[in-house]
Amino acid sequence: MNSSLQFCDLCGLPLRRREVTLPSDEKTYCFCCNGCKQVFRMLVEQHGTGDPASFRESELFKKCQEMGLIPKSEEELALKETRSASSEHEAMEIKADRVIRLKLKVRGMWCPACAWVIEESLRKKPGISNVHCSFSSDRMRCDYDPILLSPSQITSSIAGLGYDAYPPEGSEEARERKREIIRFAVSAFLTMNVMMFSFALYAGFFTEFSIDTIRNLSWPIFVMASIVVFYGGRKIYQRAWAGVTHAGFGMETLITVGAFSAFLYSTYQLVSGSIHLYYDTASMLIVLVTLGKFLESRAKAEVQEGLESLLSMRPSKVRILVPGRSAGRYVAAEQLAGGDLFQVEDGEIVPADGKVIEGKATVDESSLTGEAIPVAKGAGDDLRSGLRVIHGVLKVKAEKVGADSTLGQLLGVLHKALQTDEPLQGKTDRLLRWFVPSVTALAVGTSLVCLFMGLHTEAAILRGLTVLVISCPCTLGIAVPLARVAGISLAGRKGILVRAFSSFEQAQALDAILFDKTGTITHGQWTLIKIIPMGSWTEEEALALAASLEQDSEHFIAREIVNRANQAGLALFEPSGVTNSRNGIIGHVNNQEVRIGSKDFLKQEISRSLSGKDTTELNDPSGLSHVYMSVNKELCAVFVFGDEIKQEASGVIRELKAMGYRLHLVSGDGSEATKAVGQRVGIEECRGGLLPADKAAFVRRVQSEGRRTAMVGDGINDAPALAQADLGIGVSSSHDLGKEAGGITLMRGDLTQILDFLTLTTKVNKKIRQNLLFSGLYNVIAIPIAMTGLLNPLIAVSAMLLSSLTVIGNTQHLIKRPD
C-alpha cells in the first residue's frame, strides 16, 4: 500500500487492513471506518467540495467523535471494530415482551449519510433495537424498551444531532381516540356516582323522604346525568341523526330515544318534586354503548395505522442528475418527471420506474415480488419503483413517475381495496333493522292505547317509557362485541393478534384460502441451505475456502457464505489475486486456485467432474439456486441456496383440505418454482409471476365465483390482496404492512395458528348465538309484561341489568373453559 493511502482522509488515523473507500470524480478517498466515510459524505454534501483536513474543525466532526461514531485514537478504532460484532447481540438483550415500536418523521437530513448517523447514534442508546432510518422517505422507526427510555428521549437525541423528529401523519386520529377515551372515562365515573345516588333515592319508595332530602339527592344526580347524556353521548346522537335522515335505523336510534325519554321524563319529575327519577337508566345506556363502540373503533384503528408502513416506502426526495453537477442535487420526489436522470445508492428506495443508464447494484425486490433473492442490476436493465438498493450505485432514466409508477399503482390498488372492502354485515345490525322501529312503535302504541283506555297522561307516558327502557338493546349491544372481545383475548394467548372484530364472522363463512409462497409457505429468507461436497472434500473445508475467497466481496452470496463460516467458527485464509466477473470470482487461497460461480462459469469443471455420476441431488425443481466451487480446476463442492419450506406447511394444508377449503398458492416468483413448492405441500392450484395488483385481481376473481376468500401473506407485496380478501391473515415478518392490512396476524408466523383460529372462531360464534338467544328471549318475555303495566322503569332497569349480567356470565364461561 503506497504512502498516500496509509491514513484516513477524514480523521487522519492509520488505515487498517480493510479500509473503507469512497470513489469520486477527483480521487478515491479512503477511511479507517464506516463512520468516517459517512460523516465525510455529509460534510461534502453540506459544504460542497473542500479540504478534508479542514473538516476536522467542523461542529459535526466533533459531535460525531463525542458520540463514538468517529474514533479518536487507534485504540478506540480497534475497540470500535471489536464491539461492532457484538452490538447486535447486545440489542437483543432488551425484553421482547415489553418492546414498543416508534415511528417518526425526520426533517433536516441532507444526504443518506445523515440517516446512517441517526441510526448509529440511536443504536448506542440502551433500550433501543432494530433501528432503521430512511433518507429518501424521511422516516425513522425503532423498537424501544419503555422501562429504559421514553419517546421524548428518542426525539431529543435526534434533535441533538440537528434534526427535527415528530409523529407521522395520522396524529389527529390518535388525538381523537384520546378524546374518546377521556369521554368514556368521565361518563363511566359519573354514571357510577349516579347509580350510587339513585339507590339512595330509591329507598324513598319504602321510607318517606322530606322535600329537602329529595332535593339534595336529586339535583346532584341531574347535574352528573346531564354531563353523561349531553357530553358522553354526543357521538351516539350524531350517528342516530345520520341514520334517521337516511332512513337507516340502528342501535344508536333506539339508544337516543330511550336515553332522552328517560332523561326528559326524569327532569319533569324532578321539577315536580317526585322521586320517580330514571337518570341512572339514561346514563347506563350511554356508557354501555360507548364502551362497545370504543372497543370496536380501537380495533379498526389498527388497520389504518398500518398504512404508515406502506407510506414509508414512498420516497420524499430524489437525487436528480443535472448538467454541470456530477453529484446531482436532492429535490422533492414530486418534481421528478419522465425523462429525468436520477441516482440511487445503498439503502435508498427507487422513486420511479425507469431504465438503468450506468452503474451496478444489488437490489431487494421483495417489496413487490415477495421473493427473498436479491437481484443484480446493471446498464440496460429495467428498474421498478419501490425496490430498495442493497449495495451499489445506479444512474437511471425515469420513464413512469408518480401514480403511473409501479409503487404508485400499488398504493392506489391498496387504498381502493380498503375503501371498497365491505365486511360481512353484523348479526346485531341485521336484527336492528326491524327491532328498532318495532320497539319504538310498540312504546308509542302502548302510551296511546293507555290514553284511550282512560289512564292518566303521566301513567300512559310511564308505561311507554318502561317498554323503551326494558327493550333498549344494552344486552343486544354487548352480546356480540363481548363475545368477540373474549375471542380476541383467547386468540392472544395462542399468539394470534385479532385486528378486526368482524374477523370471527368472516372466518366462519370462508370456503377458499389463498397462500402467498415466500414468507408464508416458505421461511422468506434466502440462505445457504446445504453444502454438497465432492470427492474427498468435507463441508467444513469447502466452506472455509469459499469464505476465504469471498470475505472482501459485497455480493449477497458472498456475505451469506462468510456469515455461515463465522457462525461455524472456521479459520479463514488470506486470499490473493482476486478477480471478479459477472458470473463468478477467481483467486488464490492457501496456494490453490479457487473458482466460485454459476453453472456457466464453471462449465468445464462441472462437465469433467460430474460425467457419468448421479446428479439427482443437483436437479431440484423447487426454485433452489446452485453455486459451484472448484479447486485447481476440479469441482469440490456445490452450495445450495434458497428459501426452505416451513416444517408445518404440509400438515396444515392437509388438514385444511380435509375441512373442505379450496386452496390456492400465489407468488411473485416464477410459475415453475411456485408449482414445485405447491406440489411439495399439496396445493394443486398454483399461480406464479404475480405482482401485488395481480394478486388482488386474482382474489377478486375467486370472489366473483361466489366464494368467501381468505388471503394469507406476510409482505408489503401481499397488502392489496390482504385488503381485498374477505379475511386477511398476516404472517408476522419483517414487513409491517403485511401484518397491518390483515384482519388477524399470526405473531409466531406458524401456519398451525390458522387451524387454531378456525377452531376458536367456531366457539366464539357459538357463544355469540347463545348471547343473542338470551337477548331475544329476554325481550320476547319482558316487552309484553311492560306493555301490561306490571312493570315500572325501576324494575325495568333492574331486569335490563340482570339480562346484561347473564350475557356477561355466559361469555366468561368461554374464557374460563376455552376448550
Side-chain angles (χ1 to χ4, degrees):
M1 186 177 293
N2 58 53
S3 59
S4 64
L5 297 177
Q6 291 182 350
F7 298 94
C8 175
D9 280 320
L10 182 65
C11 68
L13 293 177
L15 297 176
R16 305 186 74 77
R17 186 178 65 83
R18 294 187 195 172
E19 70 274 9
V20 182
T21 61
L22 178 65
S24 71
D25 294 339
E26 302 172 0
K27 59 173 286 189
T28 297
Y29 293 97
C30 297
F31 306 96
C32 63
C33 66
N34 199 38
C36 287
K37 173 185 174 180
Q38 301 295 356
V39 174
F40 179 81
R41 290 178 60 193
M42 292 172 63
L43 290 167
V44 170
E45 290 284 347
Q46 187 179 18
H47 302 291
T49 58
D51 178 17
S54 66
F55 289 161
R56 299 172 196 167
E57 302 302 320
S58 66
E59 289 298 322
L60 179 62
F61 181 88
K62 296 175 181 178
K63 181 71 174 179
C64 289
Q65 274 197 325
E66 291 176 10
M67 293 189 300
L69 300 179
I70 297 177
K72 298 178 182 179
S73 62
E74 291 187 58
E75 292 76 13
E76 189 173 317
L77 175 59
L79 183 62
K80 178 182 173 69
E81 289 191 344
T82 303
R83 286 179 174 175
S84 63
S86 60
S87 60
E88 183 175 346
H89 174 73
E90 291 174 0
M92 296 301 293
E93 297 299 321
I94 301 172
K95 295 290 184 180
D97 58 347
R98 64 181 188 227
V99 163
I100 298 176
R101 173 152 291 186
L102 176 66
K103 298 176 182 179
L104 298 171
K105 289 199 71 173
V106 181
R107 185 169 54 197
M109 294 189 289
W110 55 74
C111 76
C114 296
W116 181 89
V117 169
I118 292 173
E119 287 182 356
E120 291 300 306
S121 63
L122 290 180
R123 283 195 182 101
K124 294 179 180 296
K125 289 192 169 296
I128 293 183
S129 62
N130 299 326
V131 185
H132 176 70
C133 185
S134 172
F135 164 72
S136 59
S137 61
D138 287 331
R139 280 173 165 80
M140 188 282 298
R141 73 168 185 267
C142 69
D143 296 336
Y144 72 96
D145 188 333
I147 301 297
L148 301 178
L149 77 170
S150 65
S152 60
Q153 290 175 303
I154 297 176
T155 55
S156 297
S157 297
I158 298 174
L161 298 173
Y163 309 100
D164 294 327
Y166 52 93
E169 292 85 2
S171 57
E172 178 58 35
E173 288 80 358
R175 286 193 291 269
E176 178 61 26
R177 287 197 297 274
K178 184 176 181 179
R179 286 194 289 266
E180 290 303 311
I181 293 174
I182 295 173
R183 189 190 310 276
F184 170 73
V186 171
S187 300
F189 174 76
L190 293 177
T191 297
M192 287 189 293
N193 285 277
V194 168
M195 295 290 289
M196 181 179 65
F197 277 80
S198 296
F199 281 132
L201 186 63
Y202 293 155
F205 285 108
F206 310 102
T207 303
E208 186 173 349
F209 281 165
S210 66
I211 297 299
D212 289 339
T213 302
I214 295 174
R215 186 183 300 112
N216 291 335
L217 288 173
S218 300
W219 282 107
I221 297 176
F222 168 75
V223 173
M224 291 186 290
S226 297
I227 296 174
V228 174
V229 170
F230 292 101
Y231 168 68
R234 185 173 65 87
K235 291 284 187 180
I236 298 174
Y237 312 144
Q238 289 176 346
R239 297 190 190 102
W241 177 250
V244 171
T245 54
H246 293 85
F249 301 100
M251 182 171 66
E252 291 86 359
T253 307
L254 192 55
I255 293 296
T256 300
V257 173
F260 271 99
S261 297
F263 182 83
L264 295 175
Y265 178 79
S266 299
T267 303
Y268 170 76
Q269 293 292 85
L270 172 64
V271 175
S272 303
S274 172
I275 62 173
H276 292 273
L277 306 182
Y278 305 104
Y279 289 120
D280 53 341
T281 302
S283 300
M284 186 58 70
L285 288 175
I286 298 299
V287 168
L288 287 176
V289 174
T290 302
L291 175 60
K293 290 297 180 182
F294 169 71
L295 292 174
E296 187 172 359
S297 64
R298 187 178 65 176
K300 290 180 179 178
E302 295 283 351
V303 177
Q304 297 302 322
E305 289 177 0
L307 291 177
E308 177 62 25
S309 299
L310 182 61
L311 293 175
S312 67
M313 286 179 57
R314 184 170 55 191
S316 59
K317 58 175 76 73
V318 59
R319 187 197 292 260
I320 292 184
L321 302 177
V322 294
R325 186 166 182 175
S326 59
R329 60 187 179 88
Y330 283 103
V331 300
E334 293 79 9
Q335 298 182 27
L336 184 66
D340 287 345
L341 292 180
F342 65 89
Q343 179 174 303
V344 286
E345 51 189 65
D346 298 8
E348 292 187 348
I349 297 171
V350 180
D353 294 0
K355 189 174 290 292
V356 178
I357 304 300
E358 182 183 330
K360 292 181 180 180
T362 303
V363 301
D364 178 8
E365 292 190 332
S366 62
S367 59
L368 297 182
T369 66
E371 297 314 303
I373 303 176
V375 178
K377 295 289 184 179
D381 291 336
D382 292 324
L383 204 63
R384 289 179 293 190
S385 58
L387 307 183
R388 184 175 62 87
V389 178
I390 299 175
H391 177 72
V393 178
L394 295 174
K395 293 182 180 179
V396 187
K397 183 177 182 179
E399 295 177 348
K400 294 182 179 180
V401 300
D404 296 328
S405 67
T406 302
L407 179 58
Q409 292 177 31
L410 189 154
L411 283 163
V413 168
L414 179 60
H415 280 294
K416 182 179 179 181
L418 288 173
Q419 291 170 1
T420 58
D421 181 32
E422 296 181 1
L424 296 174
Q425 197 169 28
K427 293 182 173 67
T428 306
D429 292 334
R430 291 199 292 268
L431 286 171
L432 291 174
R433 281 184 177 179
W434 60 266
F435 184 78
V436 173
S438 298
V439 168
T440 305
L442 282 175
V444 174
T446 299
S447 295
L448 292 176
V449 169
C450 290
L451 288 174
F452 284 128
M453 292 175 60
L455 267 69
H456 190 272
T457 302
E458 182 177 334
I461 294 175
L462 187 62
R463 191 173 296 188
L465 177 61
T466 303
V467 172
L468 273 178
V469 169
I470 204 166
S471 63
C472 264
C474 287
T475 305
L476 193 60
I478 66 174
V480 177
L482 197 62
R484 287 173 173 172
V485 169
I488 290 174
S489 175
L490 292 174
R493 297 180 191 176
K494 298 178 180 292
I496 303 169
L497 177 62
V498 180
R499 300 181 179 279
F501 269 12
S502 57
S503 297
F504 294 106
E505 189 171 357
Q506 291 165 336
Q508 190 176 30
L510 295 176
D511 53 12
I513 302 178
L514 280 70
F515 289 89
D516 174 57
K517 179 176 76 71
T518 307
T520 305
I521 296 295
T522 66
H523 286 285
Q525 297 177 349
W526 199 81
T527 58
L528 176 59
I529 295 177
K530 60 180 177 179
I531 302 173
I532 305 174
M534 299 290 177
S536 61
W537 291 90
T538 65
E539 291 186 20
E540 291 76 12
E541 291 171 341
L543 182 60
L545 277 180
S548 297
L549 181 62
E550 299 273 22
Q551 59 185 307
D552 290 324
S553 174
E554 292 294 332
H555 195 277
F556 56 91
I557 288 178
R559 289 203 299 270
E560 176 63 18
I561 290 175
V562 173
N563 288 339
R564 187 61 62 88
N566 290 335
Q567 291 172 10
L570 300 178
L572 304 185
F573 303 97
E574 187 69 27
S576 62
V578 178
T579 304
N580 286 282
S581 68
R582 185 173 180 85
N583 297 321
I585 182 172
I586 304 174
H588 288 80
V589 178
N590 199 22
N591 298 319
Q592 302 177 93
E593 184 190 72
V594 181
R595 294 173 174 241
I596 301 175
S598 65
K599 190 173 185 179
D600 291 337
F601 187 70
L602 279 81
K603 184 182 299 183
Q604 295 181 357
E605 290 90 336
I606 293 172
S607 176
R608 184 168 53 251
S609 301
L610 298 181
S611 178
K613 297 183 179 180
D614 183 12
T615 59
T616 304
E617 194 174 9
L618 301 179
N619 297 323
D620 193 333
S622 61
L624 300 178
S625 299
H626 296 83
V627 175
Y628 300 83
M629 183 174 78
S630 70
V631 176
N632 296 328
K633 303 296 178 69
E634 292 293 329
L635 190 68
C636 74
V638 180
F639 298 88
V640 182
F641 294 85
D643 190 5
E644 290 184 290
I645 293 176
K646 292 182 178 179
Q647 185 176 2
E648 74 277 7
S650 297
V652 171
I653 297 301
R654 187 167 52 250
E655 290 199 39
L656 290 174
K657 276 185 166 181
M659 296 166 68
Y661 293 102
R662 182 177 176 180
L663 305 180
H664 301 265
L665 183 66
V666 295
S667 176
D669 201 359
S671 297
E672 291 301 319
T674 304
K675 289 179 181 178
V677 172
Q679 289 175 359
R680 292 179 64 181
V681 298
I683 300 179
E684 291 79 18
E685 299 184 54
C686 307
R687 287 182 174 269
L690 301 182
L691 292 176
D694 300 327
K695 291 181 182 180
F698 185 70
V699 172
R700 286 194 296 271
R701 176 180 170 184
V702 176
Q703 290 172 328
S704 68
E705 299 173 359
R707 294 185 177 275
R708 292 289 184 180
T709 305
M711 174 69 194
V712 187
D714 80 312
I716 290 174
N717 63 299
D718 301 319
L722 289 166
Q724 176 64 44
D726 297 292
L727 176 63
I729 302 177
V731 180
S732 184
S733 69
S734 59
H735 302 287
D736 287 332
L737 189 67
K739 298 183 288 185
E740 301 291 350
I744 68 171
T745 299
L746 312 181
M747 299 306 295
R748 296 200 306 268
D750 188 341
L751 295 179
T752 58
Q753 292 177 290
I754 297 176
L755 302 176
D756 293 337
F757 183 73
L758 293 175
T759 302
L760 179 61
T761 291
T762 302
K763 297 174 181 177
V764 170
N765 287 325
K766 179 180 178 181
K767 196 62 62 175
I768 289 175
R769 288 192 295 271
Q770 292 175 354
N771 288 348
L772 290 174
L773 178 62
F774 289 146
S775 300
L777 288 174
Y778 163 77
N779 281 289
V780 167
I781 296 172
I783 290 177
I785 297 176
M787 293 173 65
T788 62
L790 296 177
L791 300 176
N792 61 37
L794 174 61
I795 300 177
V797 170
S798 302
M800 182 181 65
L801 179 60
L802 180 62
S803 68
S804 298
L805 291 175
T806 302
V807 168
I808 292 172
N810 186 50
T811 305
Q812 286 292 323
H813 185 70
L814 170 66
I815 298 176
K816 291 179 180 178
R817 298 184 59 185
D819 299 325

